[in-house]
Amino acid sequence: MRFGALGRTALIGLVATLVITGCSSSDSKTGGTTNANGLEKTDLLIGQYPGADSAPLFIAMERGFFKEQGLNVKQEAIQAPQAVLPKLGNGSMDVVLGSYATILSIQSSGLEKFKYIADSYQGAPGAFGIMVAKNSPIKNVGDLKGKKIGVNALVGLGVLTMNPHLKIAGLDPKTDVKYVVVPTTDWITALDKHSVDAVWMTDPYVSQAKNEVGATMLLDTMSGPTEGLPITGWAATEKWVGKNPKTMAAFQRAMAKAQNVAATDRSAVTKILPTYTKIPANVAATINLGNYPTSLNAQRIQRVADLMLEYGFIQQKIDVASMIVTSQG
């Protein structure tokens, strides 16, 4: 077929238009528009706990750290990773914040295969403990025999960090106490209404319980055998990590920047807390915060896995190093 000069010009223009259109096309299966960074997905849904653990996520959102990486991030408050396993499995949720105890338990059970992609929170004195109501007859750990203790998950950090202390007090964690699930947002109400005898809490709820209902801390569960224990980290499924390496690296870069802010500027954390929790600003300003590690450390997290094996949370030893994916640029 022959084309004149005008025809050739029109054809070239058409080809250019198709090339440009093809390069900027949106693919709903990848979750967003292809950008200069070549991210596999640009729209992410992140599952988070409404507590101090999640502060870096909200700092990153507020300060535009995700936008800098070409990501559009939305978040959803969750009770525990188990509740959102279907979403993580089908890809409708991308990354989840989970206690190391919970994620390791799921990993051991074979329900899902996870990779840790960023650390979040580590224990510190005063920020995690067993709380009892005002004027409670429970005065020491031994008094918990035969009592109900509220926790946010039966297989999770609360139970894991209490068990060694119960054992030291001469109690059998399996038979001498009864753990019952109390959602995080109901911790204080459950304690105040005596629907349980004690509740394992994390700050800012520890401080709020003291201020609002006169609760006291019976035991600091980040002391003695559990001092400085890693608390929570950001995880994604093995399948998701394999499909989205560039997106994961972008998420890691944004979170690393936010994590550094949280680690070095307490006021940034206490300022952001009231924006996504029910914690009043005056309480947030005085809470006991844990630490915000700025790198993933397999040896540190291995402590959690080994403690879980000791207390029967898992049946076989887990090599945490095999679950960690370090930052990719």
Side-chain angles (χ1 to χ4, degrees):
M1 183 180 293
R2 290 173 173 261
F3 293 94
L6 183 59
R8 286 194 297 273
T9 301
L11 181 60
I12 292 170
L14 176 60
V15 171
T17 300
L18 289 172
V19 170
I20 293 171
T21 302
C23 289
S24 62
S25 64
S26 177
D27 184 351
S28 60
K29 292 183 179 180
T30 61
T33 303
T34 303
N35 58 28
N37 295 326
L39 303 183
E40 299 87 3
K41 291 189 72 173
T42 55
D43 297 333
L44 301 183
L45 177 63
I46 312 298
Q48 58 85 21
Y49 295 151
D53 316 48
S54 296
L57 174 71
F58 287 89
I59 289 171
M61 293 173 69
E62 181 186 60
R63 301 194 181 192
F65 296 163
F66 290 122
K67 294 291 185 184
E68 291 173 358
Q69 298 297 328
L71 296 173
N72 176 38
V73 167
K74 294 183 179 179
Q75 59 79 27
E76 178 181 311
I78 66 169
Q79 174 63 21
Q82 296 97 321
V84 291
L85 283 180
K87 289 186 176 182
L88 291 162
N90 65 26
S92 58
M93 180 174 283
D94 301 279
V95 178
V96 68
L97 179 69
S99 79
Y100 285 110
T102 299
I103 296 294
L104 287 167
S105 177
I106 295 171
Q107 185 85 359
S108 178
S109 71
L111 288 174
E112 186 57 83
K113 295 299 181 184
F114 280 108
K115 294 292 186 181
Y116 290 122
I117 61 176
D119 206 337
S120 178
Y121 207 47
Q122 182 175 317
F128 305 81
I130 304 174
M131 304 295 292
V132 294
K134 183 179 181 180
N135 300 322
S136 171
I138 301 171
K139 303 300 180 184
N140 57 61
V141 177
D143 292 338
L144 289 171
K145 186 172 183 177
K147 305 300 185 185
K148 290 194 297 184
I149 306 175
V151 291
N152 67 322
L154 294 179
V155 180
L157 183 73
V159 175
L160 183 66
T161 56
M162 278 188 279
N163 281 354
H165 295 277
L166 293 175
K167 185 177 180 180
I168 290 171
L171 301 182
D172 184 335
K174 292 183 178 180
T175 60
D176 288 337
V177 300
K178 183 178 181 180
Y179 291 120
V180 296
V181 174
V182 176
T184 303
T185 51
D186 295 337
W187 279 348
I188 296 172
T189 301
L191 190 63
D192 191 41
K193 291 187 176 181
H194 303 285
S195 56
V196 292
D197 301 294
V199 178
W200 179 82
M201 296 186 190
T202 67
D203 237 338
Y205 298 96
V206 167
S207 296
Q208 190 176 5
K210 289 178 179 179
N211 293 337
E212 294 184 1
V213 299
T216 58
M217 183 178 284
L218 181 73
L219 172 72
D220 187 333
T221 55
M222 288 298 152
S223 62
T226 50
E227 181 177 0
L229 202 69
I231 307 300
T232 50
W234 300 98
T237 67
E238 191 174 89
K239 179 180 178 181
W240 188 92
V241 168
K243 289 177 62 178
N244 304 285
K246 293 181 179 179
T247 296
M248 180 194 68
F251 177 84
Q252 288 177 315
R253 288 191 293 269
M255 286 303 299
K257 194 171 181 179
Q259 195 80 1
N260 188 63
V261 171
T264 57
D265 185 0
R266 173 190 167 88
S267 65
V269 176
T270 57
K271 181 181 177 182
I272 202 76
L273 272 173
T275 67
Y276 67 94
T277 71
K278 296 180 180 179
I279 309 303
N282 64 317
V283 175
T286 61
I287 67 171
N288 295 301
L289 289 173
N291 297 317
Y292 294 93
T294 54
S295 64
L296 275 170
N297 183 297
Q299 184 176 6
R300 189 171 64 238
I301 301 168
Q302 189 68 48
R303 283 184 61 201
V304 181
D306 292 345
L307 196 62
M308 292 178 70
L309 183 63
E310 179 183 349
Y311 282 93
F313 280 52
I314 56 177
Q315 302 307 311
Q316 293 183 326
K317 184 178 178 67
I318 294 177
D319 178 15
V320 172
S322 67
M323 294 176 62
I324 289 179
V325 182
T326 54
S327 181
Q328 300 187 9

